[in-house]
Amino acid sequence: MITEMNNMERVFGRPESLRPVSTHYCPGCGHGIVNRLVAEVIDELGIREQTIGVAPVGCAVFLYNYLNVDMFEAAHGRAPAIATGCKRVHPNMTVFTYQGDGDLAAIGTAETIHAAARGENITTIFINNATYGMTGGQMAPTSLVGQKTTTSPTGRKIERAGYPIKMAELLATLDGPAYISRVSVSSAKYVVRAKQAIRKAFETQIKGLGYSLVEVLSPCPTDWHMTPAAAIEWLEENMLPHYPLGEFKVPQEAR
Amino acid sequence: MITEMNNMERVFGRPESLRPVSTHYCPGCGHGIVNRLVAEVIDELGIREQTIGVAPVGCAVFLYNYLNVDMFEAAHGRAPAIATGCKRVHPNMTVFTYQGDGDLAAIGTAETIHAAARGENITTIFINNATYGMTGGQMAPTSLVGQKTTTSPTGRKIERAGYPIKMAELLATLDGPAYISRVSVSSAKYVVRAKQAIRKAFETQIKGLGYSLVEVLSPCPTDWHMTPAAAIEWLEENMLPHYPLGEFKVPQEAR
Amino acid sequence: MDKRFMTGNEAIAEAALQAGCRYYFGYPITPQNEIPEYMSRRLPEVGGTFLQAESEIAAIYMVYGASGSGARVMTSSSSPGISLKQEGISYIAAGELPCVIANIMRGGPGLGGIQPSQADYFQAVKGGGHGDYHLLVLAPSTVQEAVSLTMESFDLADKYRNPVMLLGDGFIGQMMEPVVFEKRPAVSLPAKDWACTGAKGRASNLVKTLNLDPAELEKHNIKLYEKYQKMRKDEVRLENYLTDDAEVVIAAYGSVARIAKTAIQALRQKGIKVGMIRPISLFPFPYQAFADIAKRVKKILVVEMSMGQMIEDVKLGVCGAAQVSFYGRVGGMVPSYEEIVAEIEKLVKVAP
Amino acid sequence: MDKRFMTGNEAIAEAALQAGCRYYFGYPITPQNEIPEYMSRRLPEVGGTFLQAESEIAAIYMVYGASGSGARVMTSSSSPGISLKQEGISYIAAGELPCVIANIMRGGPGLGGIQPSQADYFQAVKGGGHGDYHLLVLAPSTVQEAVSLTMESFDLADKYRNPVMLLGDGFIGQMMEPVVFEKRPAVSLPAKDWACTGAKGRASNLVKTLNLDPAELEKHNIKLYEKYQKMRKDEVRLENYLTDDAEVVIAAYGSVARIAKTAIQALRQKGIKVGMIRPISLFPFPYQAFADIAKRVKKILVVEMSMGQMIEDVKLGVCGAAQVSFYGRVGGMVPSYEEIVAEIEKLVKVAP
Amino acid sequence: MSNSEKKERRAGIVINEDYCKGCGLCLSACPQHLIKIEESVSAKGYYPAAFVDPEAKCTACALCARMCPDVAIEVFKAKNKVGGNE
Amino acid sequence: MSNSEKKERRAGIVINEDYCKGCGLCLSACPQHLIKIEESVSAKGYYPAAFVDPEAKCTACALCARMCPDVAIEVFKAKNKVGGNE
Amino acid sequence: MERKSICTNVIMAGFGGQGLMFIGKLLAYCAMKRGLNVTWIPSYGPEMRGGTANCTVVISDQPIGSPVITSPDALIIMNNPSLEAFEPRIKTDGLLFINNNLVTCQIKRKDLQVISVPANDAAVEAGEKKAANMVILGTYVARTGILTKEDVAAGFKEFFGAKTEYLASNMQALEKGMSYA
Amino acid sequence: MERKSICTNVIMAGFGGQGLMFIGKLLAYCAMKRGLNVTWIPSYGPEMRGGTANCTVVISDQPIGSPVITSPDALIIMNNPSLEAFEPRIKTDGLLFINNNLVTCQIKRKDLQVISVPANDAAVEAGEKKAANMVILGTYVARTGILTKEDVAAGFKEFFGAKTEYLASNMQALEKGMSYA
Ligand SMILES: Cc1ncc(C[n+]2csc(CCOP(=O)(O)OP(=O)(O)O)c2C)c(N)n1
Ligand SMILES: Cc1ncc(C[n+]2csc(CCOP(=O)(O)OP(=O)(O)O)c2C)c(N)n1
Ligand code: SF4
Ligand code: SF4
Ligand code: SF4
Ligand code: SF4
Ligand code: SF4
Ligand code: SF4
Ligand SMILES: [Mg+2]
Ligand SMILES: [Mg+2]
């Protein structure tokens, strides 16, 4: 078949900033899609050599094995602080964090809110998969009401565990952020939009406009105990209604 | 003069829940007013023996010397977590925290947001004096743009230190809180409203409706380097425009 | 008694329940997730509260709040998470609040790995937090012992109004073994009349750690110190394993001690008389046992899953009276009994 | 050289600036607020960055980020704040990131007090965080020494790719003394080719601490260990004060050592020959100096503003060869020279 | 209201010198301007506030007391009268 | 579009078996239903996806590739043609 | 192999989803029910799913010292990488159980007793294609004589609370496996 | 008091706002400028404003050992609570400077040299009513002979960058104070 394609031109393939290695993600995991989107944006903007990434503690911890840019591995939740330290030293680099919902919305809440409030000129890619993937599927701050996880075995109960947090909406109320949006990777159409959002976030930073964040709704088939296809479906049926997609804050100049 | 009042009735005096001791607060400090308001509300609701308070690390650390209720002294920023532990053990007690802006909006951001998001059935009295009073007047997350503090000696600069955080507005976007309002103690009129808000917050908890918070704009003449009167004026001229007073969230049933 | 087949983590959780613990606050981290997961299932069944905190820091202060409210409460975590709790642990010790903290250690430093380790010994016994305080630190070496020490921990915590740390390595947490849950005899414990429960019919209570008057703070420190002295006197726990006729003694705790037992059996079959002192309480440390053994045995091999931490306490006990050697594996690597055999053989070969 | 009259805190900040530190991340806490306050004034003047973090935890990870980006960077705090940084410190040590951390100790545990203390010794030297790592720990005893040790700290940090802790008590921070800022000779230091600066014209760099393969993590631990061994060999710093003819020796560090000096002068006037070993580097600890002195001097008095922490290291050095006694004040109480004189007199009176 | 004849006192305040720190917030709060700061220092080292109401203008409105951060002010009122308080 | 005569291949995809984990997301993404899961296990232990397009219906829309979490799909297209991609 | 003083151990290794942890626990549980001392230790790869996994089971009528085994008495191997990782560690004359439907690499050592089982095929035959793990467990227990089919059935039911149909097919797989001993 | 081998120390204590920290620093700074070794140590009450405060100054031509002084050579006392706190600590025959405008309590010890200064009154006279601290510093330096008025003036200007008018009135207060020595 490869020979069959020989006289054709490649219209889609692995972005250059993404190393030619297999990932450790489970089959059907949304992280893989978003890793690629970030690499594509870095390629398109031509900033591979001017980019410094911060990987989270979470399933995406090995992001540095995939992206071919300088990278930090953060402590759980502290990526925004690390990115801040880095950005202050290298104001001309494009500095981004990539974080899960446990990482960003639980243990890292303060670091997230304050990087945003400072208008720290960094970009955050926030993977909301409504669970703690890496540690085996515990309840996340973004787990839905009624969602069964290993630490909400009978489903998340409001009385005990409270309400799922909408980080994009929360952050958009602050003065610091320039760009905040929520996207999904549950269909190819959404994936295209997700990439546009990520690009916009990086561009916001490059223009020096301040903090940018893209929340990505992303399936975790393993910890949801579903097939990849079922996970996509569950995401669209359950997460989309609670976590509406859209732009919650756009840069002044782009309004 | 006391004799002169002898045949009159006392229409205003020290609330019972407030111990008859002199405070360590500086002259003209807003903490004193709010301490009294909390005591008045406890008296009016008749809940002195069913109340457990959590004092912050900040100028109000000695709150437990003034309020005659069971109390915890928290670690800096952790009052909401302590109150959560306490409330879960004593669901029928009225549990409140009293916190400064450094305590609540800086180091304690995560604990605050998550207690609120959980709809933890506790009440928070949040003293926003736009500075770290106890440690000598450093910049707080709520310090205004341009405000001179010991760590923003040329005035708070957005480029370096970002934007002041409006906690009441931020928290009101969450699903967990039942009652969120902002009041001021810069005039007797406002003080009356402040007390109403504090009462409403406590009542919200007693009715079991969820998290309640009252943000109180409060003068810190010492660290603002002003006379008490000038501090009041500065508050009204500078803080009120940035931190509008009002109710940002009211209980469902009370709407 | 019914034997149950459980992981150490589950057994610790169940033992806590049976010891009357009704409040658990924690945050996920490998290799101890089975504790919160078990608690999230079981606590609501017995009318207790499981709450997954937003962070390890929030968790330890929820423990502070629940303990200060008079409840039996626990938290658990693993190395990086325990580091985050250090401020809170110092506060809890300062405030004299009883609670149980399990640390199922993993390889460090930093994010490290998720395999078993014993490299948080110093943190646990010398005080990873600030100020002069101590935890009571207990180190089980079997799942069954994890059960009995967990139960005992709650009593000790209440008895001394002091936090107790259950220090396990990843093996203790994730290994499955048969366990029996025996009812513990009821212990008479001091009333918690200091706790915040609402100031009804009594003067108000206060849980605090601030003492701006140095003389007062010194007094408080001395009070704490006297408590630790009492623990040193009354709470030392250790196992002497074949030390009576031993010519060489191994010092090891936790799961390393089990591996050492297999090594000792193998060595004794070869005719080398080896014994072991296994500290069960790491604080208070059994210094005297080492001082005593050093009168008779001239070679002590400390085996740890660390670069050498407990060895300092062994040396403080031995106080120059015997030669103290070390064998350690780290980062999730485990000393095999064959390696221990080889180390001992090396040791006995060289003249003292 | 111009003499300046400064608090220790200000002097540390200025020394850091002069040593090329251009990034400071911190959070207010008494008694070290003059460091961030000074930095907030001066750093912008020299093109550097001062940032008041939202917490001590954020501050230490900003340091992680700035150090990993190749910059000279510092943070400072006091006891409770340092406890909060323990996870981050373990990460920084694991990631081999050079930086300087000042701990201006106050009375603990818990919120404690704001007066001087030395009760964070264990935390600093044994590792308050998880895993096998060490900080280089330096303890100045005058404001002038605070200046020189601060400057040196940055070089040592870069030389070893290791965090350095400047361990001062509240006196060192808040005392004012004359100081001279001498230019330090330039030291040749390894290039920071491992730092994240953008992967231009080279393979990408990675700052990390995770090693899921235990064999790899063990290797990394051994690599760190060898670094600590090198420090133990090359970086021991101490002051011998009148030890040559001494019959009794005091062990003390930081401002307690100054007080001890006054005591020693008073004692010598009374004809009692007392000397002092003052560890300047607490890690690496001058064990050998104590081993050596113990061959000759049979009584050693350790004086600390704690319930007794450094005494364990002194004992490990002495190894049973001399009697080691302790005198301590805590919680912000300070041993006066008169008290030390009395302790020594007691000591020399009793037959050994 | 601005009846300046000598009236019977129907309301008044008592300032507790042990509590008063002389901040002066009660001064600005009193609509009748009935409070001044003493010239001499108190035992606590402050210049305390004093109630000066020769014309018995005090209405027991308690605005002074509500602003007092040190709960130094007690407000009194003749019994069985309807007044502007609470 | 549903012209089922044998056409000249003007577009197609290549699935890299080293990357493919057989998640099947590409299957649902392909509007032409040109992808199926293999019956046999790959060297990595997965049942990988396979491109089955005997009728040359592939439009190089790349929807499959965009959904592939493992970047296992490359999309090709005959040169010098205007198409529905990007 | 006769049962005298019982003291044996086995490492089981394969891909994440192959159910090796399960049969390890089952073996240990059943042995416990037979009155023996047992330990079961898992070892996973990275913190996420997939990858390789293995567990160690020690069974003894004496108190168990080391639950960690460098040189096991027996190995159950369900994929190629595990063969590579563990083959060098097994004892001389040790029992090497391999699933020859998946393990295609050459066994290098000549000093081992190799028991080669077409576990996947056998599972399909037994009507429960996911039960390759049960097949090889069957071979192991039969060969070592450590447990009977009834022991396993009882343990299966009790510990894992399995539904009866599910149990039946798994027992068939087990039996099938026993025939390869 | 003659200057031979200089080695002296003083504790200054009073309310938070009385400027004792300031004159302590000033004294130390001026002594440093004269080539002496000095230490200055503050001690505050709680972390907030107000309350009592004190500082200790040690001046010596030798390297200074202990900057902490249990029994000071001299005391400057500006309020009653401080008298109570520090009177028992001063050396026998020590110099006790008190501001008799504020210190009304009885001095109990009989073994001290008490120098009683109406510092507030003198400050008012000097035209700078806030300069009671400078008055008593003047008395202290004159009595001990440790510094001249010019030493203080130079230090004031250099270290605190004071405006000239401000300096002048403070110097007048200082001079006034010297007259009480
Ligand atoms: C301080 C600390 N606490 C906890 C952990 C354990 N831990 C690792 S990843 C993780 C959560 C991951 O969840 P999330 O951030 O949502 O990322 P995901 O894996 O879902 O992508 C946790 C709790 C840790 N490594 N460090
Ligand atoms: C962990 C920790 N960090 C820092 C401090 C020091 N500290 C005490 S109070 C305070 C800030 C107080 O400011 P705020 O919360 O605004 O209260 P205020 O005094 O203004 O009422 C700080 C930083 C501390 N005690 N503990
Ligand atoms: S556990 Fe979930 S988030 Fe993690 S790699 Fe697997 S599917 Fe992705
Ligand atoms: S410093 Fe400010 S907040 Fe603190 S007591 Fe004084 S005036 Fe009040
Ligand atoms: S009660 Fe009203 S009128 Fe009377 S003194 Fe107070 S403020 Fe003035
Ligand atoms: S408001 Fe209170 S403290 Fe302030 S001056 Fe008036 S009475 Fe005194
Ligand atoms: S490129 Fe489009 S048509 Fe072709 S296989 Fe992929 S999804 Fe189907
Ligand atoms: S989406 Fe990718 S990984 Fe998944 S089956 Fe298709 S080609 Fe394979
Ligand atoms: Mg997640
Ligand atoms: Mg404040």
Side-chain angles (χ1 to χ4, degrees), chain H residues 31-137:
Chain H
M32 173 186 93
K33 278 290 164 190
R34 292 256 334 266
L36 298 168
N37 293 313
V38 291
T39 59
W40 173 90
I41 281 189
S43 170
Y44 306 98
E47 279 179 295
M48 38 252 87
R49 309 301 102 185
T52 58
N54 71 76
C55 67
T56 304
V57 176
V58 181
I59 303 175
S60 175
D61 53 10
Q62 300 301 307
I64 296 173
S66 179
V68 188
I69 302 299
T70 314
S71 306
D73 295 337
L75 270 181
I76 297 179
I77 296 294
M78 295 282 272
N79 69 0
N80 284 328
S82 299
L83 182 67
E84 220 173 300
F86 289 98
E87 187 188 344
R89 284 172 48 179
I90 186 171
K91 267 205 189 126
T92 296
D93 206 36
L95 299 171
L96 173 57
F97 298 85
I98 62 161
N99 176 352
N100 63 26
N101 286 142
L102 298 175
V103 179
T104 54
C105 288
Q106 204 54 47
I107 294 160
K108 298 185 196 83
R109 282 173 57 176
K110 302 290 166 224
D111 58 338
L112 305 176
Q113 307 177 46
V114 179
I115 305 98
S116 193
V117 187
N120 287 58
D121 295 347
V124 172
E125 279 173 45
E128 177 57 67
K129 68 172 180 169
K130 286 185 184 164
N133 59 341
M134 290 300 287
V135 171
I136 208 153
L137 178 66

Side-chain angles (χ1 to χ4, degrees), chain E residues 10-81:
Chain E
R10 307 212 44 88
I13 65 170
V14 175
I15 299 174
N16 185 333
E17 246 197 53
D18 283 349
Y19 293 140
C20 177
K21 293 178 186 147
C23 70
L25 292 187
C26 50
L27 263 77
S28 354
C30 176
Q32 313 294 336
H33 309 291
L34 306 177
I35 309 177
K36 69 170 182 76
I37 290 290
E38 298 270 24
E39 294 281 302
S40 60
V41 95
S42 73
K44 300 261 164 166
Y46 298 111
Y47 294 88
F51 180 51
V52 188
D53 185 17
E55 301 174 28
K57 287 162 83 179
C58 178
T59 61
C61 68
L63 294 178
C64 55
R66 278 184 211 293
M67 278 307 285
C68 175
D70 287 281
V71 205
I73 301 180
E74 289 182 299
V75 183
F76 293 88
K77 209 169 113 184
K79 281 171 192 156
N80 313 322
K81 276 279 284 193

